[in-house]
Amino acid sequence: MTTPTTPSAPAQAEPTAPPSSSSPSEFVVATWNVNSLRARMDRVQPWLSRHRPDVVCLQELKMQTADFPLLELQALGYHAVAFGQKTYNGVAILSRSEHGAPTDIACGMDDGDSDAEARLISARIPGLGLRVASVYVPNGQSIDSDKYAYKLRWLRRFREHLKRHFSPTEPLLLGGDYNIAPDDNDVYDPAGWRDTVICHEDARKALADIVAFGLFDSLRHVEPSAKIYTYWDYRQLAFPKNLGLRIDHLFCTAPLRDRCLAARVDREARKGEKPSDHAPLLVTFRR
DNA sequence: ATGGTTGCTTAGCAA
């Protein structure tokens, strides 16, 4: 074991700001589509160390459950539960070890449908007294595609799943990539995007039906009208031009809406080498 | 913009 003797630290060895510390009065929940956890682990690890969110919903793991990096996350101080599959989809929930191991872990929708795509996982976080789901809604490709019919069907099944397993009066968080921009204000070019799977009225209605279960858009609770995006295409310099969409959401039930203190998108995570095409959304709640 | 970028898998699909 040698002691470093270099007088100046390496350029990127230290974070530029101290990591967030756990507060006894607040907790932070994030949702992030990482677009392959294997390809993104070198970014996810320092991001967790820096922000120390209490709970993180991840989407698009693109790996089998058996390949999920449980031990690496454990070493960073996180419990994790994952529902993966080869090549596509995959969702996970991380929670800081101090909140206790997640219980009541449920993968998929248990509604008898033969659909096996890994798009939903939920669990209870005992130390925070809440239930959390990580959700990856099908993209749907184009409105005349079979995939769009699957998207709309999946959203209806999800609504029924919520009614069966959750209550609008319990503390519940649903974080995920919904692949839907709820409002024209969530899109950089609403006219150009109107007849796409992201903005089509049937998709927006299906999401509204889910919200009608008793959910609130935590970001809009705090920022009612600001132009805030969570996704920028890799092509066409979309990020530097801020040609973005707000398709990642953290929905909460009424008991948590009243405790929602702040919400922001971490655009820093979209910059630099090999980012995901999505940036994380971080929401702070009173404990 | 009927294009372009990334990841998984290895030519073509999905996003």
Side-chain angles (χ1 to χ4, degrees):
Chain A
M1 182 84 184
T2 56
T3 306
T5 54
T6 46
S8 57
Q12 297 184 0
E14 299 294 330
T16 55
S20 330
S21 59
S22 177
S23 159
S25 59
E26 301 174 356
F27 64 92
V28 174
V29 179
T31 184
W32 192 7
N33 178 324
V34 293
N35 186 19
S36 169
L37 186 55
R38 194 178 284 110
R40 217 63 61 206
M41 204 53 188
D42 288 347
R43 279 183 158 256
V44 171
Q45 285 193 260
W47 186 86
L48 288 173
S49 298
R50 171 154 181 174
H51 293 275
R52 301 303 295 163
D54 292 275
V55 179
V56 186
C57 300
L58 299 177
Q59 301 85 34
E60 278 213 86
L61 307 178
K62 293 188 172 180
M63 57 169 52
Q64 290 171 301
T65 308
D67 296 328
F68 187 80
L70 257 191
L71 294 177
E72 289 95 317
L73 294 165
Q74 229 169 64
L76 289 171
Y78 283 90
H79 287 293
V81 294
F83 178 29
Q85 70 179 88
K86 193 178 154 91
T87 310
Y88 303 113
N89 310 316
V91 286
I93 300 169
L94 318 184
S95 66
R96 284 172 65 156
S97 308
E98 68 211 65
H99 302 311
T103 65
D104 305 272
I105 301 150
C107 299
M109 283 197 271
D110 75 336
D111 59 0
D113 195 294
S114 59
D115 176 20
E117 296 195 8
R119 298 181 175 277
L120 175 65
I121 187 169
S122 63
R124 184 181 305 277
I125 313 298
L128 293 172
L130 49 87
R131 288 209 285 173
V132 179
S134 182
V135 181
Y136 180 46
V137 175
N139 173 289
Q141 203 163 73
S142 62
I143 54 176
D144 57 357
S145 153
D146 290 347
K147 294 188 174 69
Y148 187 56
Y150 170 68
K151 177 181 194 168
L152 296 176
R153 188 168 71 249
W154 195 95
L155 289 163
R156 284 194 299 271
R157 291 172 56 213
F158 184 50
R159 180 193 61 195
E160 296 308 307
H161 181 84
L162 286 178
K163 289 195 224 169
R164 272 200 310 280
H165 294 283
F166 300 93
S167 159
T169 61
E170 72 171 319
L172 170 67
L173 290 167
L174 305 176
D177 176 0
Y178 287 77
N179 269 310
I180 296 170
D183 189 90
D184 281 352
N185 190 38
D186 299 315
V187 182
Y188 69 91
D189 174 17
W193 279 80
R194 192 183 53 210
D195 292 322
T196 68
V197 294
I198 300 297
C199 297
H200 190 260
E201 57 175 330
D202 291 342
R204 284 179 169 171
K205 269 185 198 142
L207 181 59
D209 287 345
I210 287 165
V211 169
F213 168 74
L215 302 176
F216 300 88
D217 182 332
S218 57
L219 184 128
R220 283 303 177 217
H221 180 66
V222 173
E223 292 282 358
S225 59
K227 288 204 181 295
I228 295 173
Y229 305 136
T230 63
Y231 163 88
W232 301 260
D233 199 289
Y234 282 126
R235 299 165 285 186
Q236 301 280 110
L237 299 173
F239 181 68
K241 294 175 175 171
N242 199 26
L243 306 180
L245 308 170
R246 194 177 72 94
I247 56 176
D248 300 271
H249 310 294
L250 187 73
F251 293 105
C252 63
T253 47
L256 285 167
R257 171 202 56 196
D258 298 333
R259 293 156 60 189
C260 181
L261 302 173
R264 69 182 192 91
V265 173
D266 179 22
R267 293 174 53 96
E268 296 303 310
R270 183 61 177 77
K271 299 176 182 174
E273 293 292 302
K274 293 220 141 219
S276 168
D277 42 3
H278 297 248
L281 167 65
L282 293 133
V283 183
T284 306
F285 296 91
R286 190 176 70 244
R287 203 173 290 223

